[in-house]
Amino acid sequence: MALNRRDFLKSAAAASAASAVGIAVPTSLEAASNDAQKDWRWDKAACRFCGTGCGIMLATKNGKIVAVKGDPAAPVNRGLNCIKGYFNAKIMYGADRLKTPLLRMNDKGEFDKHGKFKPVSWQRAFDEMEKHAKKALKESGPEGVAVFASGQYTVMEGYAAQKMMKAGFRSNAIDPNARHCMASAVVGFYQTFGIDEPSGCYDDIEITDTIVTWGSNMAEMHPILWSRVSDRKLSNPDKVKIVNIQTYTHRTCDIGDINIIFSPSTDLAIWNYLAREIVFRDKKGGGKEDIIDWDFVNENLVFTAGPVNIGYGMRRKGEKSLTPVRPDGSAGKYDAKEMQTISKEMEKKVSAKEAPSLAPYGYKEGDLMKNTPGTLKHWKISFEDYKKSLEPFTLDYVAKIAKGDPNESIDSFKKKLQALAELYIEKGRKVVSFWTMGMNQHTRGTWVNTLSYNVHFMLNKQALPGNGAFSLTGQPSACGTAREVGTFCHRLPADMMVKNPKHRAKAEKVWGIPAGTLNPVGNQHIMKIHRDIEDGVVKFAWVNVCNAYQDSASAKHWIKAAREMDNFIVTSDGYPGISAKVSDLVLPSAMIYEKWGAYGNAERRTQHWRQQVLPVGDAMSDTWQWIEFSKRFTVKDLWGEYTLRNGKKLPNVIADAKKMGYKEDTTMYEILFANDRAKKYKIDLNKFPQKGFDNSECIGDSRNVVGSDGKVFKGYGFMIHEYLFEEYASFGRGHGHDLAPFVVYHKVRGLKWPVVDGKETQWRFNVKYDPYAAKAVKESGSKSTHAFYGPLAKKILQGNLTGPDKKLGKYALPNKAKIFARPYMDPPEMPDSTYDTWLCTGRVLEHWHSGTMTMRVPELFRAVPEALCYMNPKDAKAKGVKRGELVWVESRRGKVKARVETRGRNRPPQGLVFVPWFDEKVFINKVCLDATCPMSKQTDYKKCAVKITKA
């Protein structure tokens, strides 16, 4: 039978995918596949989407990607892809790909903030960026130049952006959208272990007996991992148990042995209930059982506490946009309804619900709690104090405040909690606790992350094969680029911090810049950048590989500020999403396989790929954009003296730069990107891995793109990708963040760091598996099985639950981790008589984040063309609406119209609705509250109060 070209290619792709996972295919289909593929080039890459880190194989022909399949050699996914993964090629070929820079202009061809977008050259685009960045520096100093960065940057892109921002502009106002995604997990790691990233790996799934998901719809958000979980369950259905702890029922619950629906924020109480069961049933805690592994606890852990009056990470009184305060309750740019919630940032009354939990910390119902901004401070306490903090969390109290389904009986809910406790406590039973945004996007996100480790630590079920609390990353390189590279405002590569003078000195040495160049103040996290734009401080902001104006809560404020304030907003993207539409200049970015790159996934696995095809139009990579921008700024432009808002001065380092051999007119390009070290990385098109592959940044390409200087771009003439990666990797080698060489990653399917003597590490801190733990134990003379060798916050004050006592002095805890006392507290906004319903937001399987890519794939768009308001049928009936009808979802901040779904994949209890955020036409982030965890600054998208009315 004759096949047309379309069917021919589809048959070939289907046959390839089937054979990759071991499915037999008909002889005729196999023959068609072989014939179609005879001139295809297959190469490995990493999936563009979530933090799972699946490996894929890409086929290219005539300069276009023609097929995608799961990589059978990839240990993460073993040849499988989820539905998004199979469309990695189609995301690049949407009809409205951006192909040339666009600038808002008037009829005279001048920049006009109120003008219409018109095409311009790269040279004109950089001219405008240079002018406005220099204006921002003059008016606001380094704090006036900001970047909305991304957990979707490649490692090289993020490193280049950070280097130019922090070493060039001397600005720490660069923060990734991973702040919205994983920041609470990060601070939880820092506080608990003294170092970032999980201790376990995905292999735990096949080894464990118990999987507990906390606020994680793994079936849709990490479907390949969920296929491994499902396989593990089916391998021994009687022994292996799955428990899902969620605020609404979804697909992950479908194979759960126990499904617990809890009231938003009360996961804090449930973790404390589990810890109370462990402590109070243990002999040392007054019980009759041997539950706590005291040898492990005494050798490896200390008990700690911190302040509880830390606020909710919202705007604070006195900030410019909250001034003046008016008699009607409004303040500055915020109306009275918004201020009802924001006022709790300054002070709040202790509620009846949270009072028992806060009693050990000295508070009672009705007390006025005066809040101070979130702090990372904490101190050592005794076991007896820790036990005291757990006393309120009885089964009766926790069941009363945590039961999330009003139609479930209290006895049923109690039995589930008891069964959960028994699974954790059972001797010899291995347990893995997985979580994602439910625990991270939380006004007490850092607290709840640390509470998870408490339970695992006391049972000695952490950092062991099949045992551990494990935070699952949301984005493809939120670990590798946002965290490990250090693109957060407060970080430098390999867990170093901008506030630490020794860390700054090391970075200055590696980067070849004068001592004192780096800015020690790193507080402009992603929500503060938005607020600083609204306050008129940030005058120049650049959106990179994200959609900052769709993905931020209270979105109407930030869009209004971007459009109406005196500023210049730039967005680099592949498609015209909301951020591009809000901007003054739009730059066309090369997409994922149109450039060389690397990602780091949730199990510390670093993966690299090569450029597969040329970018469309005149699009260029974000790495190229940053390096070209660096050519516009000299030593004289950037390295003079500045006074920051807090009064700190950044010194003039121009004289020191001259002593290093630089001149006043030496560009940042020459210093940071085209230095002698960089030029040692040679182009060799006859050698692996460069042979046979495009390299637009290094040698240019056949498109002959006219670059930032008005001339055809012919490439940098050295291997910039290898240079950027190797320089970044140099920060961590020998310091517990060891990465393999650049070329090695092109030969393997990723490696989990630390990579020591060519071998990856599966379970960190475990002497048997982690060379750094083994070394630490040997040097200390200990006989411990573990060493929690992270260096941060390993000398702390001592005290009790209500505060530290400086008279006791500081306590050193080398190689020890921490167990934290953390109470339950209400979120700042809860349903009331006017706004009577909880709103939760998130993703769906078919779409990625803001839908900028996936909504342009016809198959994915047809599958889920709009965001729905998932609602309990009883709520719909009570509000007089039917399935398929439109409703208004309204909060104190705004409202959106959405179609009701009462029978869908997401099944909320009464009193809660779920609306995903991928659909810019259902702009749910206008409704959400921009409260954050005060410690991590991560936004809580999972809980605010709304009312639902028929549209």
Side-chain angles (χ1 to χ4, degrees):
M1 181 178 70
L3 293 173
N4 63 34
R5 181 180 180 277
R6 178 183 177 86
D7 291 338
F8 197 57
L9 292 174
K10 288 174 72 175
S11 296
S16 296
S19 63
V21 293
I23 300 174
V25 295
T27 304
S28 59
L29 188 61
E30 187 174 6
S33 169
N34 292 335
D35 194 24
Q37 295 184 56
K38 65 185 178 183
D39 54 356
W40 290 7
R41 180 189 70 190
W42 286 98
D43 197 34
K44 75 176 182 75
C47 179
R48 175 59 180 81
F49 299 109
C50 77
T52 299
C54 292
I56 62 172
M57 297 296 291
L58 298 170
T60 54
K61 179 182 178 180
N62 297 330
K64 192 169 183 178
I65 299 174
V66 294
V68 179
K69 64 183 178 183
D71 184 354
V76 171
N77 54 310
R78 304 164 184 179
L80 292 176
N81 281 152
C82 76
I83 187 64
K84 291 189 296 296
Y86 285 117
F87 288 104
N88 266 289
K90 281 199 172 183
I91 62 172
M92 297 166 59
Y93 300 122
D96 59 344
R97 266 294 298 269
L98 294 167
K99 297 178 180 178
T100 188
L102 302 170
L103 177 68
R104 290 187 184 274
M105 294 192 290
N106 58 26
D107 292 338
K108 297 178 182 179
E110 301 164 330
F111 166 66
D112 184 342
K113 197 166 179 69
H114 302 291
K116 294 183 178 180
F117 283 119
K118 296 179 182 179
V120 293
S121 67
W122 277 111
Q123 184 177 30
R124 175 69 190 279
F126 281 109
D127 285 345
E128 292 292 342
M129 290 171 69
E130 176 188 349
K131 179 174 74 175
H132 287 280
K134 287 179 176 176
K135 177 185 174 186
L137 285 167
K138 184 176 180 181
E139 294 182 9
S140 297
E143 292 162 310
V145 176
V147 174
F148 293 104
S150 180
Q152 298 170 65
Y153 269 145
T154 67
V155 167
M156 295 76 151
E157 287 168 345
Y159 185 69
Q162 174 186 230
K163 198 175 182 186
M164 180 56 196
M165 280 296 288
K166 294 178 181 177
F169 287 120
R170 309 177 79 181
S171 172
N172 292 323
I174 173 171
D175 210 55
N177 56 3
R179 177 73 70 176
H180 295 314
C181 156
M182 294 304 293
S184 295
V186 172
V187 181
F189 284 124
Y190 280 153
Q191 292 228 310
T192 302
F193 299 97
I195 191 172
D196 194 10
E197 305 287 6
S199 53
C201 62
Y202 297 161
D203 293 347
D204 286 325
I205 295 171
E206 281 75 30
I207 302 170
T208 194
D209 308 312
T210 319
I211 293 102
V212 186
T213 70
W214 293 78
S216 176
N217 185 359
M218 285 180 71
E220 293 202 54
M221 304 312 116
H222 296 87
I224 297 303
L225 293 183
W226 193 243
S227 73
R228 291 175 61 171
V229 169
S230 302
D231 186 61
R232 176 62 182 143
K233 171 66 177 174
L234 293 171
S235 71
N236 192 345
D238 295 330
K239 173 69 172 177
V240 176
K241 301 297 180 184
I242 295 176
V243 184
N244 300 295
I245 304 170
Q246 319 290 346
T247 59
Y248 61 95
T249 302
H250 44 59
R251 285 180 171 175
T252 299
C253 301
D254 291 348
I255 63 168
D257 294 284
I258 304 172
N259 293 313
I260 298 173
I261 303 301
F262 69 94
S263 179
S265 220
T266 60
D267 45 357
L268 291 157
I270 295 173
W271 277 116
N272 275 308
Y273 160 74
L274 296 175
R276 189 186 194 280
E277 285 292 292
I278 292 166
V279 168
F280 278 70
R281 285 166 54 179
D282 185 77
K283 287 179 179 177
K284 192 171 179 180
K288 298 180 180 179
E289 302 174 64
D290 290 314
I291 293 178
I292 298 175
D293 186 332
W294 280 108
D295 289 339
F296 177 81
V297 169
N298 291 332
E299 182 71 36
N300 296 291
L301 298 155
V302 296
F303 296 94
T304 51
V308 297
N309 60 330
I310 58 176
Y312 298 100
M314 296 183 286
R315 278 194 173 278
R316 293 192 65 80
K317 183 179 180 181
E319 292 181 6
K320 189 172 182 181
S321 292
L322 286 190
T323 306
V325 177
R326 304 181 188 92
D328 68 354
S330 66
K333 297 176 181 178
Y334 292 76
D335 65 31
K337 288 190 293 185
E338 292 176 287
M339 289 306 298
Q340 289 173 4
T341 301
I342 294 173
S343 65
K344 294 178 183 177
E345 176 61 26
M346 279 56 79
E347 60 182 32
K348 58 159 287 181
K349 279 190 177 180
V350 174
S351 74
K353 184 176 181 179
E354 64 191 348
S357 169
L358 289 168
Y361 301 85
Y363 290 93
K364 62 181 185 300
E365 182 182 352
D367 281 354
L368 193 64
M369 180 182 282
K370 297 276 188 178
N371 292 324
T372 55
T375 176
L376 301 179
K377 290 180 180 177
H378 54 278
W379 49 88
K380 181 181 177 295
I381 60 172
S382 67
F383 169 69
E384 289 304 318
D385 276 326
Y386 176 65
K387 180 184 174 184
K388 182 180 176 183
S389 78
L390 299 175
E391 213 165 299
F393 294 98
T394 62
L395 180 62
D396 286 343
Y397 171 62
V398 173
K400 178 182 177 183
I401 68 169
K403 186 171 75 73
D405 182 353
N407 295 309
E408 182 178 12
S409 73
I410 196 74
D411 287 340
S412 168
F413 191 76
K414 284 182 179 181
K415 287 177 182 177
K416 290 179 181 179
L417 292 182
Q418 289 173 313
L420 175 67
E422 293 304 325
L423 287 173
Y424 273 103
I425 291 171
E426 182 184 327
K427 295 286 186 182
R429 172 170 285 276
K430 297 173 182 176
V431 186
V432 175
S433 302
F434 283 124
W435 67 90
T436 47
M437 297 307 105
M439 273 173 51
N440 291 335
Q441 293 176 342
H442 198 307
T443 52
R444 291 295 181 266
T446 299
W447 285 11
V448 73
N449 268 264
T450 58
L451 289 177
S452 69
Y453 302 117
N454 293 358
V455 169
H456 282 267
F457 276 147
M458 288 190 290
L459 299 171
N460 192 5
K461 293 185 179 183
Q462 180 69 31
L464 288 165
N467 277 305
F470 195 116
S471 169
L472 290 170
T473 311
Q475 298 187 69
S477 203
C479 287
T481 309
R483 293 156 70 173
E484 293 157 25
V485 170
T487 53
F488 284 92
C489 65
H490 63 292
R491 289 179 72 162
L492 292 165
D495 272 0
M496 298 198 306
M497 304 293 168
V498 298
K499 71 177 181 180
N500 187 315
K502 291 181 180 179
H503 293 176
R504 295 197 305 275
K506 179 177 178 179
E508 287 163 348
K509 184 176 181 181
V510 172
W511 288 342
I513 60 178
T517 302
L518 294 182
N519 183 344
V521 181
N523 60 13
Q524 285 177 279
H525 55 86
I526 205 161
M527 288 313 306
K528 185 163 177 56
I529 292 173
H530 276 305
R531 294 167 187 169
D532 279 350
I533 293 173
E534 188 175 51
D535 286 348
V537 175
V538 169
K539 302 286 189 180
F540 177 94
W542 191 357
V543 180
N544 284 188
V545 205
C546 66
N547 197 348
Y549 286 92
Q550 186 174 340
D551 72 21
S552 294
S554 298
K556 72 175 184 181
H557 278 278
W558 324 130
I559 289 176
K560 184 176 182 181
R563 295 304 310 131
E564 297 180 7
M565 301 287 289
D566 177 22
N567 54 44
F568 191 75
I569 312 295
V570 184
T571 290
S572 296
D573 207 339
Y575 291 104
I578 286 180
S579 295
K581 294 167 186 171
V582 165
S583 297
D584 302 303
L585 174 66
V586 182
L587 304 179
S589 284
M591 291 185 68
I592 183 72
Y593 309 117
E594 297 169 342
K595 56 195 176 185
W596 290 65
Y599 279 160
N601 81 343
E603 62 168 355
R604 295 171 278 109
R605 182 181 298 277
T606 307
Q607 301 181 83
H608 285 234
W609 66 90
R610 298 179 279 196
Q611 183 177 342
Q612 302 296 314
V613 292
L614 298 183
V616 301
D618 284 345
M620 294 295 284
S621 74
D622 291 75
T623 303
W624 180 88
Q625 292 175 33
W626 271 103
I627 294 173
E628 292 303 293
F629 198 38
S630 74
K631 294 177 178 179
R632 301 296 185 111
F633 299 90
T634 66
V635 167
K636 185 178 179 180
D637 291 332
L638 302 182
W639 287 356
E641 183 180 272
Y642 294 102
T643 301
L644 303 176
R645 279 179 288 180
N646 66 358
K648 284 184 179 286
K649 288 189 182 294
L650 295 184
N652 184 321
V653 295
I654 295 174
D656 290 334
K658 289 179 178 178
K659 292 177 184 177
M660 298 176 72
Y662 304 134
K663 299 176 182 178
E664 288 192 356
D665 63 353
T666 303
T667 66
M668 293 298 124
Y669 169 69
E670 295 168 278
I671 297 171
L672 302 178
F673 301 112
N675 50 54
D676 291 340
R677 181 178 177 182
K679 291 176 181 177
K680 291 178 181 177
Y681 292 91
K682 302 297 184 183
I683 300 293
D684 190 342
L685 301 180
N686 295 312
K687 188 177 178 182
F688 179 87
Q690 299 176 41
K691 185 178 180 179
F693 286 84
D694 293 307
N695 199 328
S696 296
E697 294 94 334
C698 298
I699 58 174
D701 59 50
S702 60
R703 296 175 302 152
N704 291 320
V705 173
V706 177
S708 66
D709 58 0
K711 300 176 183 177
V712 172
F713 180 71
K714 296 294 186 181
Y716 297 120
F718 57 94
M719 188 58 176
I720 187 70
H721 316 292
E722 187 171 8
Y723 162 61
L724 292 171
F725 180 79
E726 288 295 334
E727 185 177 273
Y728 146 64
S730 71
F731 282 94
R733 289 178 180 146
H735 303 285
H737 286 77
D738 306 63
L739 295 166
F742 177 86
V743 174
V744 169
Y745 285 111
H746 287 282
K747 297 177 180 177
V748 300
R749 264 54 177 187
L751 293 169
K752 298 186 285 288
W753 62 263
V755 181
V756 181
D757 296 328
K759 296 180 180 179
E760 65 180 5
T761 300
Q762 291 176 284
W763 290 277
R764 285 199 305 163
F765 315 125
N766 186 314
V767 169
K768 186 176 179 180
Y769 302 97
D770 183 348
Y772 280 94
K775 180 183 176 183
V777 166
K778 184 178 180 180
E779 290 177 348
S780 68
S782 164
K783 294 182 179 180
S784 178
T785 56
H786 291 72
F788 298 102
Y789 51 79
L792 297 178
K794 287 301 180 77
K795 198 171 184 180
I796 56 176
L797 291 170
Q798 302 178 71
N800 56 32
L801 291 175
T802 59
D805 183 349
K806 292 183 179 179
K807 295 178 183 177
L808 297 175
K810 285 194 171 183
Y811 181 87
L813 50 149
N815 295 327
K816 290 181 183 284
K818 299 165 188 170
I819 290 174
F820 279 91
R822 308 286 202 194
Y824 161 77
M825 289 186 72
D826 295 337
E829 187 171 271
M830 302 171 73
D832 56 22
S833 58
T834 304
Y835 301 94
D836 60 354
T837 301
W838 287 108
L839 168 68
C840 179
T841 66
R843 293 199 286 117
V844 294
L845 169 65
E846 293 83 357
H847 289 296
W848 175 244
H849 282 199
S850 60
T852 311
M853 295 178 289
T854 53
M855 286 288 274
R856 286 163 170 85
V857 175
E859 292 87 344
L860 297 177
F861 177 81
R862 287 195 297 269
V864 183
E866 63 179 330
L868 302 172
C869 178
Y870 293 91
M871 185 186 300
N872 188 282
K874 291 182 179 179
D875 280 341
K877 184 176 180 180
K879 295 177 186 302
V881 295
K882 296 178 181 178
R883 180 176 184 241
E885 291 185 335
L886 292 171
V887 293
W888 288 107
V889 182
E890 182 177 354
S891 72
R892 291 172 173 83
R893 291 156 294 283
K895 64 181 183 178
V896 297
K897 197 182 292 185
R899 198 172 306 279
V900 170
E901 176 56 87
T902 58
R903 296 186 221 160
R905 63 180 77 175
N906 300 301
R907 305 177 290 281
Q910 280 187 267
L912 185 145
V913 295
F914 172 75
V915 183
W917 67 281
F918 68 85
D919 187 353
E920 64 181 55
K921 294 178 181 177
V922 183
F923 195 174
I924 197 63
N925 279 336
K926 292 193 298 184
V927 177
C928 294
L929 174 66
D930 63 315
T932 70
C933 167
M935 300 170 79
S936 71
K937 319 302 182 194
Q938 179 164 354
T939 314
D940 188 340
Y941 296 92
K942 299 301 180 184
K943 56 194 82 75
C944 70
V946 297
K947 59 182 176 182
I948 309 295
T949 54
K950 192 169 183 177

